[in-house]
Amino acid sequence: MQLVKPGKLLINNEWCEAESGKRFDVFNPATEQKLTDVAEGDAKDIDRAVKSARQAFETGPWKNMTARERGRILNRVALLLQKHKTEFAELETLNNGKPISETLNADLPLAIETFEYYAGLADKIHGDTIPVNGNFFNYTLREPTGVVGQIIPWNFPLLMAAWKLGPALATGCTVVLKPAEQTPLTALKLGEILIEAGLPPGVVNIIPGFGPTAGAAIASHNDVDKVAFTGSTEVGKLVMRLAAESNLKRVSLELGGKAPNIVFADSDLSAAVDGAMRGIFFNQGEVCCAGSRLFLEEKIHDEFISMLKTRVEKMIVGNPLDPKTQMGAQVNKEQFNKILNYIEKGKQEGAKVVTGGAPAHKQGYFMKPTILQGVNNQMTVAREEIFGPVVCAIPFKNQDDLRKQANDTIYGLSAGIWTRDIGKAHRLAKEIKAGTVWINCFNCFDAASPFGGFKQSGFGRELGKYALELYTQVKSVWVSLD
Ligand code: ADP
């Protein structure tokens, strides 16, 4: 299979080496072997990319293009992704370690739908006419924010690129995109498709590179009008600081999570077991909205754990390219070790490993899916994001007890509620401080439905029409009728 063609930076629709001439290695986490290497962009390359994006934003053809034509280009991107779906899925699986069943059935369809959705939305972005005092005609324009820097993580490399590029391009912004250093390959391959779809030079520039160099250069660049970041809360704070200290660029952040997945005794337990598994083992638990805190009503705690254990121990963990595989490899050694350390810490603080808790294979960063029980909400494993296939079961007595614990976290990205009592479900959905609440389901996504955080999970909403707010500014125009 062909890996990404040039492995270079994309600036002004041309593939080029970094000015420093440096390249860095990209690995397959399932084999620990090098896949390829790509050009390593740093501040100088970011500057070149920003200049190209600025030029494209201020002059034609992008600036003069109708919104409908921008929509057509986005549609072509979706069609080309569809055409090359298998190649993209395999490349993502090779580079990230996630199972091919997931790249084919989740990452790719969702990425394609995101481009389709924003293709359709491009010509429906408009202002209002506003009745004002006096003899005036007042209207608003919704204008593109300008040159946008987008910094994305390694857990859904192509999908995160789609979430960022879809709305930015629909609104008429131009972009400097930095994929994560662990997983730059599908974003680069997407660059080939963007050119083929007819995107003019400079509209999207793709610069693989490291966070403290390329990423920080985007966040602190004085000619970037907005930075959109997805990653850890720690780095999110840094990005915001750099944005404030430079040109006060607009910021949106999608950060970490520690989602409560709440199972009441009156729920369909077998569906809830499915949901608990999807909540934490999807994408090896490398999901910011993972259902990592599994709150179980005391009455069903033991029964639920035993049902879950049976299912978890049947999971197929292994070769990510095998269609039967249910859980692949963690993205790299650092993440793998971090997860093992958290499990150790959990044990030291009194949690018990029900199943898993160790590497699954000798080679590759494969973890056994892990259940910890006897966890309380104050333990490190319940407070910090593990970002791995480790679910922490926490018993609760009643709704009051539950509510306090569920919201007792610095994060607020998502939550799950399992109950047959519809009133209870909706009441709780209102009380949970999180950007997404799933009732009797978990990890559901659609390009039309917004996603984003409360509290330290960030701010700004991606997807849906809400994401247009991230990439537009409103201008109020007054016209005297005298
Ligand atoms: P993780 O800890 O899950 O790897 P990070 O928040 O470190 O997540 O990374 C998410 C993205 O942020 C990546 O593209 C990474 O290169 C980038 N990044 C990391 N450090 C910085 C930084 N200091 N400034 C800007 N971007 C950064």
Side-chain angles (χ1 to χ4, degrees):
M1 199 199 96
Q2 188 182 35
L3 291 175
V4 68
K5 231 190 291 175
K8 293 185 183 172
L9 315 177
L10 179 63
I11 301 179
N12 216 31
N13 276 10
E14 282 169 16
W15 297 101
C16 55
E17 292 294 343
E19 269 196 30
S20 67
K22 282 198 212 161
R23 298 181 67 83
F24 66 99
D25 292 342
V26 178
F27 294 90
N28 176 348
T31 61
E32 305 178 36
Q33 304 295 311
K34 176 179 165 179
L35 276 174
T36 184
D37 48 66
V38 301
E40 180 187 329
D42 63 18
K44 282 196 180 136
D45 306 294
I46 293 296
D47 194 49
R48 277 197 291 158
V50 171
K51 285 200 172 83
S52 144
R54 173 59 61 193
Q55 162 98 2
F57 183 72
E58 303 295 348
T59 62
W62 188 242
K63 191 184 169 83
N64 305 325
M65 200 177 271
T66 62
R68 202 152 293 156
E69 182 54 25
R70 288 202 303 272
R72 280 191 203 113
I73 293 177
L74 287 172
N75 247 331
R76 285 201 287 275
V77 173
L79 286 170
L80 285 164
L81 270 178
Q82 182 66 41
K83 184 172 157 198
H84 298 285
K85 184 175 164 184
T86 313
E87 263 171 85
F88 269 93
E90 285 175 2
L91 189 58
E92 196 79 302
T93 285
L94 278 173
N95 191 183
N96 168 279
K98 64 174 82 192
I100 191 76
S101 60
E102 288 182 8
T103 42
L104 276 175
N105 298 314
D107 299 64
L108 262 296
L110 285 168
I112 293 165
E113 282 168 22
T114 303
F115 283 110
E116 281 171 347
Y117 178 83
Y118 287 104
L121 212 50
D123 62 358
K124 294 162 197 76
I125 301 165
H126 49 71
D128 300 309
T129 56
I130 300 174
V132 289
N133 281 338
N135 203 14
F136 297 101
F137 168 46
N138 179 256
Y139 65 95
T140 58
L141 295 171
R142 199 165 262 283
E143 298 184 346
T145 303
V147 174
V148 172
Q150 302 184 320
I151 304 173
I152 56 173
W154 46 260
N155 56 345
F156 293 92
L158 177 71
L159 185 59
M160 289 302 104
W163 282 23
K164 295 275 183 288
L165 292 176
L169 298 180
T171 53
C173 290
T174 59
V175 177
V176 176
L177 175 78
K178 192 199 85 63
E181 54 271 32
Q182 298 85 347
T183 55
L185 301 186
T186 46
L188 289 174
K189 202 169 177 58
L190 180 63
E192 295 171 15
I193 277 186
L194 296 174
I195 296 173
E196 195 180 337
L199 208 65
V203 175
V204 173
N205 305 274
I206 304 175
I207 312 290
F210 291 83
T213 48
I218 290 178
S220 57
H221 201 292
N222 278 320
D223 202 30
V224 170
D225 298 304
K226 185 228 156 58
V227 59
F229 171 83
T230 299
S232 59
T233 294
E234 187 193 349
V235 177
K237 288 181 181 178
L238 209 59
V239 165
M240 198 166 166
R241 200 172 306 137
L242 293 173
E245 283 165 359
S246 52
N247 61 341
L248 211 60
K249 58 180 66 64
R250 278 74 187 118
V251 178
S252 54
L253 304 171
E254 201 266 90
L255 308 174
K258 197 73 200 176
N261 194 6
I262 302 157
V263 184
F264 286 100
D266 62 6
S267 66
D268 173 342
L269 286 193
S270 137
V273 168
D274 273 352
M277 295 190 46
R278 195 164 46 252
I280 194 69
F281 302 128
F282 174 62
N283 209 48
Q284 300 79 238
E286 294 170 340
V287 184
C288 43
C289 53
S292 49
R293 291 183 299 150
L294 181 63
F295 284 100
L296 301 174
E297 194 163 0
E298 267 178 3
K299 274 183 266 185
I300 49 112
H301 176 274
D302 293 355
E303 183 189 357
F304 195 90
I305 293 282
S306 134
M307 287 168 79
L308 187 61
K309 177 172 188 279
T310 309
R311 290 282 306 280
V312 168
E313 288 178 346
K314 288 195 187 121
M315 279 187 81
I316 304 169
V317 182
N319 178 8
L321 286 168
D322 184 335
K324 288 196 293 296
T325 293
Q326 292 168 305
M327 213 174 78
Q330 309 306 135
V331 78
N332 62 15
K333 192 169 192 169
E334 188 189 341
Q335 291 299 319
F336 182 71
N337 287 336
K338 189 174 141 196
I339 296 164
L340 288 169
N341 286 338
Y342 269 119
I343 293 170
E344 259 330 289
K345 184 99 182 154
K347 287 198 278 193
Q348 281 164 18
E349 291 180 15
K352 183 174 153 244
V353 176
V354 178
T355 184
H361 300 299
K362 286 208 176 69
Q363 199 198 23
Y365 308 119
F366 295 96
M367 274 299 304
K368 285 188 176 163
T370 301
I371 308 173
L372 298 181
Q373 73 169 18
V375 176
N376 74 53
N377 203 40
Q378 301 309 317
M379 288 181 185
T380 310
V381 286
R383 304 211 74 80
E384 296 180 12
E385 195 176 32
I386 299 175
F387 226 62
V390 181
V391 70
C392 298
I394 308 175
F396 69 92
K397 285 191 181 47
N398 52 40
Q399 281 190 60
D400 271 351
D401 174 32
L402 179 268
R403 223 178 352 253
K404 273 192 223 114
Q405 296 200 66
N407 280 332
D408 179 13
T409 165
I410 62 165
Y411 296 112
L413 195 55
S414 65
I417 301 170
W418 299 84
T419 173
R420 286 196 178 102
D421 179 340
I422 192 95
K424 181 161 75 181
H426 285 289
R427 274 197 308 279
L428 196 55
K430 215 170 153 191
E431 285 164 350
I432 295 271
K433 293 183 175 138
T436 297
V437 177
W438 287 295
I439 298 174
N440 294 332
C441 56
F442 207 96
N443 272 342
C444 303
F445 288 94
D446 191 292
S449 182
F451 184 78
F454 281 29
K455 301 196 271 182
Q456 292 190 42
S457 290
F459 48 81
R461 291 293 175 269
E462 303 199 88
L463 299 184
K465 61 182 170 29
Y466 297 86
L468 301 178
E469 307 280 333
L470 305 181
Y471 297 106
T472 52
Q473 341 197 54
V474 174
K475 181 181 280 173
S476 172
V477 183
W478 292 77
V479 184
S480 166
L481 298 180
D482 288 337

